[in-house]
Amino acid sequence: EVQLVESGGGLVQPGGSLRLSCVASGLVVSTHYLSWIRQTPGKGLEWVSGFHGGGAIDYALSVKGRFTISRDDYKNTLFLQMDTLRAEDTALYFCVGGRGNIFFEYWGQGTPVTVSS
Amino acid sequence: SYVLTQPPSVSVAPGKTARITCGRDNIGSKSVHWYQQKPGQAPVLVIYYDNDRPSGIPERFSGSNSGNTATLTISRVEAGDEADYYCQVWDGNSDHFYAFGTGTKVTVL
């Protein structure tokens, strides 16, 4: 059974930083396609960043230059470093993955991020 | 922006059929995937590549995609089908890569 468990969310002031983690079990992060997706009541679901084939990385325009995705293959863990956070980054962040990069088979339960002063 | 338009809500009586649409110009040229999300839970993939079902998803769930509209159909609706449903496409040639629909709340009467 695949499990994705996120952590690292919390309350941070505008301009601050957070690092989200996603520990995977039942799948190997280096051979699967993993992404971060966020959800807000107002904007719905939004893809944030992800690993594609061959280790290629992509970002949504809204976070490019501020967020950095990475992974630790030995710890089978995915990360999202979020810098220069803005109020509009407030959301529930899901770690998601699958055997391909076209749709998302596996979802974590999410970790909440609140950016507010 | 890459907008996939869904009706905000659909109401259906138990045992009847619910149809949820997802609209965009020429969406029929893309593969559409559907997710079910119950309150307080993460989304669950229910349909991929327009009309394929993951293991464990009932045959009552089916999909179609043509022209400007993709449709998720839930036959013989049950109370447990009450949830939010989202469509999703992948477009590697756009800046958005992945686009999600606006979401539809299905209420079982």
Side-chain angles (χ1 to χ4, degrees):
Chain A
E1 179 192 7
V2 173
Q3 279 198 315
L4 301 171
V5 180
E6 306 96 333
S7 62
L11 173 64
V12 62
Q13 293 188 338
S17 298
L18 275 178
R19 189 191 196 207
L20 306 184
S21 300
C22 169
V23 178
S25 58
L27 67 78
V28 178
V29 297
S30 61
T31 60
H32 283 70
Y33 296 80
L34 294 172
S35 285
W36 290 96
I37 287 173
R38 64 188 182 186
Q39 184 174 31
T40 62
K43 293 184 66 177
L45 291 164
E46 180 187 19
W47 175 82
V48 173
S49 177
F51 278 95
H52 300 289
I57 290 172
D58 286 305
Y59 298 94
L61 290 178
S62 58
V63 306
K64 204 167 190 177
R66 300 187 299 120
F67 290 11
T68 303
I69 192 172
S70 63
R71 70 183 191 218
D72 184 326
D73 292 348
Y74 293 102
K75 294 183 178 179
N76 216 34
T77 300
L78 181 74
F79 301 99
L80 185 67
Q81 177 67 40
M82 305 187 296
D83 299 318
T84 320
L85 283 161
R86 307 167 179 167
E88 53 264 36
D89 296 318
T90 294
L92 183 63
Y93 284 73
F94 293 101
C95 173
V96 301
R99 290 163 288 178
N101 66 335
I102 307 300
F103 54 87
F104 308 105
E105 297 176 79
Y106 313 116
W107 294 67
Q109 286 304 303
T111 186
V113 171
T114 302
V115 184
S116 174
S117 54
Chain B
S1 63
Y2 204 116
V3 178
L4 301 176
T5 303
Q6 298 181 232
S9 62
V10 168
S11 297
V12 58
K16 300 299 185 182
T17 298
R19 293 181 179 85
I20 305 158
T21 58
C22 174
R24 191 186 190 272
D25 284 349
N26 203 26
I27 196 173
S29 67
K30 304 290 184 187
S31 291
V32 178
H33 321 288
W34 291 91
Y35 302 86
Q36 174 194 68
Q37 185 177 31
K38 296 182 179 179
Q41 298 183 20
V44 172
L45 180 71
V46 294
I47 291 288
Y48 61 99
Y49 287 136
D50 296 338
N51 193 26
D52 288 336
R53 281 176 291 104
S55 173
I57 301 301
E59 291 182 8
R60 302 184 296 103
F61 288 81
S62 63
S64 63
N65 183 18
S66 178
N68 298 326
T69 304
T71 303
L72 173 69
T73 300
I74 311 172
S75 304
R76 302 180 300 283
V77 165
E78 302 175 356
D81 298 331
E82 187 163 288
D84 294 327
Y85 291 83
Y86 297 90
C87 57
Q88 176 248 316
V89 301
W90 178 79
D91 185 352
N93 296 320
S94 81
D95 289 334
H96 299 84
F97 295 102
Y98 302 94
F100 286 92
T102 49
T104 298
K105 169 68 176 178
V106 170
T107 299
V108 181
L109 301 171

